[in-house]
Amino acid sequence: MAARGRRIDGTACAEPGPVIVEFGAFALILALMLSVLQTGLAATGRWRRSPLLAGGAEGAAMGAALATALAFGALIFAFAASDFSVANVANNSHTDKPMLYKVAAAWGSHEGSLVLWCLVMTGFGAALTRARGLPFGLKASAIGVQGGLGALFLAFAVFTSNPFARIDPAPFQGMSLNPLLQDPALAIHPPLLYAGYVGFSVTFSLAVAALIEGKAFSGFWPAWGRWVRPWALASWVFLTAGITLGAFWAYYELGWGGWWFWDPVENASFMPWLAGTALLHSAVVTERRGALAGWTVFLALLAFTFSMLGAFLVRSGVLTSVHAFAVDPERGLMLLGILGFTAGSAFALFAWRAPQLKGGGLFAPVSREGALVLNNLFLTVAAVTVLLGTLYPLILEAATGATISVGPPYFALTFTPLMAVAFLILPAGPLLAWKRGDLKGAMQRLALAAALAIACGFVGWLAFEPRKAFAAAGLAVGAWLILGALAEVVERVRLFRAPLAEVGRRARGLPLGAWGMTLAHAGLGLFVLGAVVETGFKVEAAAPLAIGGEVHAGRWVVTLDKVEIVEGPNYLAERGTLTVASTDGRAVPSTVTAERRFFPAGGQTTTEVGLDFRGLDDVYVVMGERRSTPEAAQAWTVRVYYNPWARLIFLGPFVMALGGVLSLFDRRLRLAVGGKRRPLPSPPGGEGGSRSETDEGAVSARSEVGM
């Protein structure tokens, strides 16, 4: 099959390209057929109690994942080879683009990112077939549900969003990808984000399967909580890393100096994260005490429902955002139908099975369970708050035609107070015993952490400005989270109360899950510190600068040294070289470059900021347009932001994700996915919550895997 047309440089398209593209289209259709077969075999095998049919469903799941991977590989090849006979390539690529961005363009469009979504979904479905220790009926039902989800999205890709659709005649050149998306972070961000988004499809499938099975045997729900937690934790880790990378991209690429603006598309990824965080904590209670089974199932359904809602918001055309795919409303309506069918069916089944989800261990309000329930309450209300702020403008416009904008002020007044209260409660939870805790004892163990946190807030209030009282309070909250996490470790290893050899033995005996929980909570504290200080104490300045001109921002002075025209691989840039120095002369001066780039292929102009890293702080420089002033014929608008502690905003969530990774490697969590699991001993201290001298096994039993 001959290649169609030639590129603008006169070279022909790769000869095998058309064949591989057609093979990719066939592989995508094959994946759809295998996913349908997976659902049918799993359902029949479950109904007939046939291991043979259930095994066939597992084989179909593996085949669907392989076929989707082949289709995705063919799409990447089409982009790498610049095969402009494929409409998706012609609309989102260009021969002058660096190879990294040609490959990344494969998931930079609606069609390509949908194939990535299907690849992750079928990949998780294949991984689910390898999970051991699940009851036959539960596993078969979960694989069937996962296959059904995959079939729906693959059908959407094949029939309405074909990534391999041809155009004839083929253009000589492509239209290129949005320049804002031509960035290394955006090459990594979508796969991580989708692994988190779509990973919650497994918890959704396990929840639906559990509702189908009902309370099949004594101890079913504690076991189900143990089975669902590794999948929820893995998805949460991916989503945390993906959101953080996206926030960092927005920070240094969009050029307005911020890292989060409550953009509706940002909210679309944040809502499943909040639901997933609540799910992790709720599953702990279900596993350890058999309680909150109904609530945990509800959260498992909700997390993936939020993921599908995010897909609809991004792809339906109802939102205008640099993050959104501008697609026609008809395809958005089909996505809404998929969301309504899957979520509606699941929640209808949940309502039918609700009477069977009662029971479980009783517990006092002051207990580990009580603290986790409170945690869930605040997280869920916060997610609903974000949902209302995101959807209300859309609903109002659809109903009345009026347009309004819901931005940071709304979320500052609603979301922030909710989370502040949740953060104040969080450190006490791990120090309470199961069933009935000793609040007074827990607070005594946190007394030093509380005193130091208050001192941090007071010092911050004095060091900055008295009118920054709320920021100083936030400083105290961040310190409280970090010190509270450390206090919990100190209590576990009995630091200052036991010989060093005993402390070392206890520290080595703590499971990875305990360290993971500590890192996650401490990382949250680091994030709070960074967000509070950067938001409350940043300094902005802007001025038109000629060569040699200066602009001051806080204790920093930025001098424009020169401006030159440079040529990039697919753009022309006006590059400014600037010197950053401190006004007191104590810091060593450094040089940064900031650019305005023009991309001829798309006719778009972007900014590339200059970032001067100063410890935890950033000096953030943006080059504006050239203009004339009374003082100089040529001047450039230069904006400077001094962002104190901005590093912690991005370091904190990655520490949280690292905590999740450590928890995934916990031996007991692996056993939960694998074969039999030895029951953990009862937590020490009895119902009163007092701590007794215990051995390593008892200390480990006290620990939580994950959050």
Side-chain angles (χ1 to χ4, degrees):
M1 185 173 179
R4 294 178 182 269
R6 291 178 174 270
R7 303 191 189 101
I8 197 170
D9 59 3
T11 61
C13 296
E15 188 66 27
V19 176
I20 292 179
V21 168
E22 301 303 333
F23 175 77
F26 169 77
L28 198 63
I29 296 172
L30 178 61
L32 169 60
M33 297 171 63
L34 286 171
S35 292
V36 173
L37 182 63
Q38 172 186 343
T39 302
L41 288 175
T44 307
R46 168 66 187 89
W47 178 54
R48 294 187 175 181
R49 308 294 299 180
S50 169
L52 181 62
L53 292 176
E58 294 182 11
M62 299 289 287
L66 177 60
T68 310
L70 291 174
F72 192 62
L75 183 63
I76 290 177
F77 179 88
F79 273 93
S82 295
D83 186 351
F84 299 125
S85 68
V86 179
N88 191 21
V89 179
N91 292 331
N92 296 281
S93 192
H94 193 278
T95 51
D96 289 339
K97 279 201 315 183
M99 182 57 69
L100 172 64
Y101 303 137
K102 287 185 179 181
V103 173
W107 53 80
S109 65
H110 162 71
E111 292 83 2
S113 65
L114 187 58
V115 179
L116 176 61
W117 177 290
C118 294
L119 175 63
V120 176
M121 178 164 285
T122 55
F124 270 102
L128 184 59
T129 67
R130 311 308 300 166
R132 296 169 295 168
L134 274 66
F136 172 82
L138 181 74
K139 186 174 182 179
S141 297
I143 290 174
V145 174
Q146 190 74 14
L149 292 173
L152 285 172
F153 283 96
L154 283 164
F156 179 70
V158 169
F159 295 115
T160 71
S161 307
N162 183 6
F164 301 104
R166 296 283 194 177
I167 50 176
D168 190 14
F172 288 101
Q173 189 54 273
M175 297 174 61
S176 191
L177 184 67
N178 185 339
L180 289 174
L181 304 181
Q182 297 181 36
D183 182 85
L186 260 291
I188 307 170
H189 162 68
L192 284 176
L193 198 67
Y194 281 22
Y197 264 155
V198 186
F200 284 119
S201 66
V202 179
T203 65
F204 181 94
S205 296
L206 287 170
V208 173
L211 292 172
I212 293 172
E213 295 299 303
K215 198 167 184 178
F217 57 86
S218 177
F220 174 80
W221 291 113
W224 180 84
R226 193 161 59 244
W227 293 322
V228 81
R229 274 215 295 152
W231 302 101
L233 184 57
S235 302
W236 181 88
V237 167
F238 283 123
L239 192 55
T240 301
I243 290 174
T244 306
L245 198 59
F248 187 57
W249 166 80
Y251 175 66
Y252 73 78
E253 182 66 29
L254 298 186
W256 53 274
W259 51 275
W260 196 266
F261 200 64
W262 295 104
D263 182 282
V265 179
E266 292 176 336
N267 296 347
S269 63
F270 192 42
M271 289 185 291
W273 186 89
L274 289 169
T277 305
L279 171 62
L280 281 176
H281 291 83
S282 180
V284 173
V285 181
T286 302
E287 176 189 351
R288 291 299 300 265
R289 301 283 297 139
L292 304 183
W295 179 245
T296 305
V297 170
F298 177 83
L299 288 174
L301 300 177
L302 185 65
F304 186 60
T305 298
F306 276 148
S307 296
M308 291 188 291
L309 176 63
F312 164 72
L313 292 175
V314 171
R315 300 166 189 277
S316 62
V318 299
L319 296 178
T320 301
S321 168
V322 68
H323 309 274
F325 300 104
V327 249
D328 59 89
E330 291 185 6
R331 287 194 284 189
L333 190 61
M334 295 191 67
L335 269 176
L336 187 61
I338 293 175
L339 170 62
F341 173 74
T342 54
S345 301
F347 283 110
L349 179 61
F350 174 80
W352 178 50
R353 287 290 199 184
Q356 301 182 28
L357 302 178
K358 297 179 181 178
L362 299 177
F363 54 88
V366 178
S367 61
R368 180 83 65 89
E369 298 97 322
L372 291 171
V373 168
L374 207 55
N375 160 283
N376 267 230
L377 176 65
F378 281 105
L379 285 172
T380 307
V381 174
V384 172
T385 298
V386 177
L387 177 66
L388 291 176
T390 304
L391 295 185
Y392 178 72
L394 305 178
I395 296 172
L396 182 67
E397 183 177 4
T400 66
T403 58
I404 65 169
S405 175
V406 175
Y410 163 80
F411 295 101
L413 290 174
T414 56
F415 179 85
T416 303
L418 286 170
M419 297 311 297
V421 176
F423 294 159
L424 290 175
I425 298 170
L426 188 149
L431 293 173
L432 294 173
W434 294 102
K435 193 173 182 180
R436 183 180 296 117
D438 179 9
L439 182 59
K440 181 179 178 181
M443 296 312 298
Q444 287 175 345
R445 292 189 286 272
L446 287 170
L448 179 60
L452 291 175
I454 293 172
C456 288
F458 183 69
V459 170
W461 182 70
L462 293 178
F464 297 103
E465 300 177 29
R467 65 185 180 86
K468 301 284 189 179
F470 285 108
L475 201 65
V477 170
W480 165 246
L481 289 170
I482 297 172
L483 295 168
L486 295 177
E488 200 270 338
V489 172
V490 167
E491 183 63 25
R492 288 181 186 274
V493 302
R494 302 186 71 81
L495 187 64
F496 309 124
R497 293 191 295 165
L500 286 179
E502 174 69 10
V503 170
R505 186 177 69 88
R506 287 175 174 272
R508 290 190 300 272
L510 286 179
L512 289 177
W515 293 112
M517 179 183 68
T518 299
L519 277 179
H521 290 174
L524 179 61
L526 290 175
F527 166 77
V528 171
L529 287 179
V532 166
V533 173
E534 192 273 343
T535 302
F537 305 111
K538 67 180 178 182
V539 179
E540 304 177 17
L545 299 185
I547 303 300
E550 297 179 348
V551 59
H552 292 254
R555 69 187 189 92
W556 300 100
V557 56
V558 177
T559 305
L560 180 61
D561 297 326
K562 64 178 180 178
V563 178
E564 55 188 335
I565 304 298
V566 296
E567 184 175 352
N570 61 334
Y571 62 84
L572 293 173
E574 198 172 35
R575 177 183 295 169
T577 302
L578 307 101
T579 299
V580 180
S582 60
T583 54
D584 55 15
R586 294 181 181 178
V588 178
S590 61
T591 300
V592 298
T593 59
E595 300 179 4
R596 282 177 53 80
R597 293 179 177 177
F598 174 70
F599 292 80
Q604 293 176 277
T605 301
T606 66
T607 59
E608 293 294 317
V609 305
L611 273 177
D612 184 24
F613 303 132
R614 296 283 178 169
L616 298 180
D617 305 343
D618 284 348
V619 179
Y620 182 106
V621 183
V622 183
M623 280 280 294
E625 295 181 354
R626 185 186 314 187
R627 51 182 293 191
S628 60
T629 66
E631 294 79 16
Q634 283 192 334
W636 291 262
T637 301
V638 175
R639 289 180 289 130
V640 179
Y641 302 82
Y642 168 50
N643 296 330
W645 289 19
R647 301 290 94 205
L648 296 182
I649 294 173
F650 310 106
L651 175 63
F654 277 117
V655 171
M656 295 168 65
L658 177 61
V661 171
L662 278 181
S663 297
L664 280 171
F665 281 96
D666 189 286
R667 181 179 61 88
R668 296 168 301 154
L669 197 58
R670 294 202 306 271
L671 289 174
V673 182
K676 297 180 180 179
R677 181 178 186 269
R678 180 170 57 88
L680 293 174
S682 300
E687 295 187 359
S690 62
R691 291 180 175 255
S692 59
E693 295 293 337
T694 56
D695 60 10
E696 289 178 357
V699 172
S700 298
R702 243 340 261 280
S703 310
E704 296 312 314
V705 181
M707 304 305 298

